[in-house]
Amino acid sequence: MEKKEPTTIKGHAMKYARSFNLQLSEEQYQRYYRSHLRKFGGWRNKFLTAVDIVDSIRRDQAKQR
C-alpha cells in the first residue's frame, strides 16, 4: 500500500504539526487559517500556507509559556 501525501491545506498542516508533537484541534486550525487568509490572502502554495499556520500556533504557544 502506498503512503499518500496530503492534498489539502488542513492535511498538510496536520502532518506538519505531528512532526513537532503538536495536537491540532479543528477549532484551533480554523482560527489560525482565517487569520492567515486575512493577512496574506489565498493565493499561496498549500504547503507553505500550512507551514505558516503551524508556525503561528507554535509561536503563540511559546509566548504563553
Side-chain angles (χ1 to χ4, degrees):
M1 183 175 246
E2 290 182 33
K3 205 173 190 186
K4 299 208 177 204
E5 289 296 316
T7 57
T8 64
I9 295 171
K10 184 177 180 180
H12 284 293
M14 295 296 184
K15 184 175 180 182
Y16 186 62
R18 278 193 303 267
S19 68
F20 293 105
N21 294 326
L22 182 66
Q23 198 69 335
L24 206 59
S25 70
E26 179 68 29
E27 178 186 309
Q28 192 177 31
Y29 167 77
Q30 288 295 324
R31 183 174 58 239
Y32 282 91
Y33 177 73
R34 287 184 189 119
S35 171
H36 182 79
L37 285 181
R38 280 192 300 272
K39 277 185 186 175
F40 302 109
W43 59 271
R44 293 185 72 191
N45 180 310
K46 290 178 185 180
F47 177 74
L48 294 178
T49 301
V51 168
D52 284 344
I53 291 168
V54 173
D55 287 344
S56 295
I57 292 169
R58 291 181 59 225
R59 199 172 25 251
D60 287 348
Q61 286 181 348
K63 285 180 186 178
Q64 291 176 357
R65 292 182 185 159

